[in-house]
Amino acid sequence: MSQVQERRIGHLFEAARLGSVRAAADYLNMAPSAVSRQITQLEHELGMPLLERHRRGVKPTEAGERVLEYYRQRLAQQEVLLESLQSLKGLQSGSLVLAIGEGFIEGLAGPLSRFSARYPGIELKVNLCGTNEVIRQVVEDEAHLGLVFHPAGDPKIRTHVSRPQPVCAVVNPAHPLAQQCAAGSGETREPLALGELSSHSLALPEVSFGIRQLVTLAEHQAGVMLSPTLTCNAIAMLKQFALHGGVTLLPEFVVTEEVDAGRLCRIPLQEAQFVTPHVQLISRLGRQLSGGANRLLGLLQQDMTAFNPP
C-alpha cells in the first residue's frame, strides 16, 4: 500500500478504536470532516465499505476488520524492528503494556519489580480490567501480554502458559461453612454443592469476570439460582466481604496469602465447572513479540504463584 493509504488506514484505525469519527478527529487534532474524507477516499480506493456508520458511531465492516488487522500487524512489526535497532546500539529501551485481571495483582508485584531492576530502560504499564476487556486489549494490540482467568475461546489468542486454578468458596474461619475445615489446612475435606450457598450471604464479581461466567454456567446445569447480596468489580472487596463474615467464590491462587495466614478458609466446590478453570498468559495470535516482551513473559511464567505450585 502507498504511504498515503497507510495514513488513511491510521485514520480508520482511530475511528474504529474510539467508536466515532468525531472522537478520532479530536484524538488526531483534525476536523471531523477531514477524517471522514480520508476514510471515504480509502473506501473508494479499495472498492468496498470499511465502516458501518450508525447514529451512535461507527463499526468496522468485515473488510474493515481485515484492513485493521493488516495495520496492527504493521505496527507490531515496526515495534520489533525499532527494538532490534536499539539493541544493536546496546540499549534496552521501549515500553510494554500488560493487561491483567485484578486477582493477579498480588502475585505480579514481585516479578515486575525484578524485571524493572534488570531492564530499567523499559517502561511498564499495567491495565487492570475484567476478563473480556483483557482479551479485547490483547486482540487489538493495546496490550502486548494478558493475564486472564478462564477466558472464553478466541481464535485470535495465543496461550503461552496455562495452569489449572479451581474456583472455591471462601469464608473466614468462624463461618458455619468453615466448621468442616481440617485443622490448620484452610480447606474442607468434603466439597460443597452450589445449592448449599443459597442460604448464606454471598458476594460475586460482575458478569465481565470469568468467575461470574463460570457461576452462571454452573447455576444453569445444576438448576440453581443464586441471589448475591453484593455484586462488584473488585476482588479486594470480595475478599473483605468474606473476611467480615460473608461467602464469596474465587480462584485458589487469589486467596493463598490469606489462607496461609489463617484469615480465610477455601472450600472446594462440587460442580465440575469450578474444578477445571485455568489461568492463562496470552498474546495475540500471530503477533511477533519484542525481545522485552519475551523476557517479561519468561519471568512471569517462572515467578508468578498463579503458574507455579506453592
Side-chain angles (χ1 to χ4, degrees):
M1 289 193 180
S2 70
Q3 231 177 8
V4 172
Q5 284 177 322
E6 290 281 351
R7 286 198 298 272
R8 289 173 180 156
I9 293 173
H11 297 153
L12 172 73
F13 176 80
E14 296 303 341
R17 181 176 71 88
L18 296 169
S20 75
V21 170
R22 179 171 294 278
D26 289 343
Y27 179 80
L28 296 167
N29 197 26
M30 296 173 63
S33 58
V35 174
S36 182
R37 193 162 50 246
Q38 291 294 317
I39 295 172
T40 300
Q41 182 63 30
L42 180 64
E43 290 176 318
H44 176 74
E45 291 168 356
L46 298 180
M48 58 187 66
L50 302 175
L51 285 180
E52 294 177 0
R53 294 159 174 85
H54 305 285
R55 289 177 60 187
R56 296 185 178 180
V58 296
K59 179 182 177 182
T61 63
E62 183 178 353
E65 289 285 7
R66 296 192 182 189
V67 173
L68 292 173
E69 177 63 19
Y70 157 82
Y71 187 72
R72 292 188 189 103
Q73 292 278 10
R74 285 292 301 268
L75 292 178
Q77 290 170 357
Q78 183 181 71
E79 181 182 75
V80 172
L81 171 63
L82 292 175
E83 186 189 73
S84 67
L85 294 175
Q86 290 291 319
S87 68
L88 290 176
K89 297 190 290 185
L91 301 176
Q92 291 177 340
S93 60
S95 62
L96 293 174
V97 180
L98 183 63
I100 70 166
E102 187 190 350
F104 293 95
I105 289 177
E106 292 178 8
L108 191 60
L112 290 189
S113 294
R114 287 186 283 278
F115 182 87
S116 293
R118 294 178 193 176
Y119 310 106
I122 298 179
E123 177 189 4
L124 291 172
K125 180 181 179 183
V126 176
N127 293 338
L128 189 64
C129 38
T131 300
N132 296 343
E133 178 65 9
V134 170
I135 293 172
R136 187 198 68 78
Q137 290 192 17
V138 169
V139 167
E140 297 186 8
D141 284 350
E142 293 179 18
H144 297 83
L145 298 170
L147 285 167
V148 68
F149 174 77
H150 193 65
D154 191 312
K156 297 179 182 178
I157 288 295
R158 176 186 177 190
T159 299
H160 297 271
V161 191
S162 180
R163 182 174 185 270
Q165 283 289 354
V167 171
C168 51
V170 178
V171 297
N172 71 30
H175 194 280
L177 289 175
Q179 300 310 305
Q180 300 178 56
C181 284
S185 73
E187 295 185 355
T188 59
R189 292 190 173 95
E190 295 297 326
L192 289 171
L194 193 64
E196 294 180 64
L197 301 177
S198 59
S199 59
H200 297 277
S201 183
L202 179 66
L204 292 175
E206 64 178 18
V207 293
S208 66
F209 284 65
I211 304 166
R212 187 60 179 269
Q213 293 160 24
L214 283 172
V215 172
T216 300
L217 180 61
E219 284 177 312
H220 177 72
Q221 295 195 358
V224 174
M225 180 68 72
L226 298 177
S227 298
T229 304
L230 171 69
T231 299
C232 70
N233 62 354
I235 298 294
M237 176 65 76
L238 297 177
K239 289 201 282 187
Q240 286 296 319
F241 188 84
L243 284 165
H244 287 83
V247 183
T248 191
L249 303 182
L250 291 171
E252 289 187 356
F253 77 97
V254 173
V255 292
T256 297
E257 183 179 325
E258 290 85 358
V259 169
D260 289 346
R263 291 184 283 127
L264 288 175
C265 292
R266 57 188 175 207
I267 307 171
L269 294 165
Q270 214 173 75
E271 286 73 18
Q273 290 87 354
F274 298 120
V275 178
T276 57
H278 284 62
V279 286
Q280 296 183 12
L281 178 54
I282 62 173
S283 67
R284 178 175 60 77
L285 184 67
R287 181 171 191 172
Q288 184 181 353
L289 294 176
S290 65
N294 273 313
R295 288 190 287 270
L296 178 59
L297 188 153
L299 189 62
L300 296 179
Q301 178 180 358
Q302 176 184 337
D303 287 7
M304 287 193 69
T305 304
F307 297 118
N308 295 282

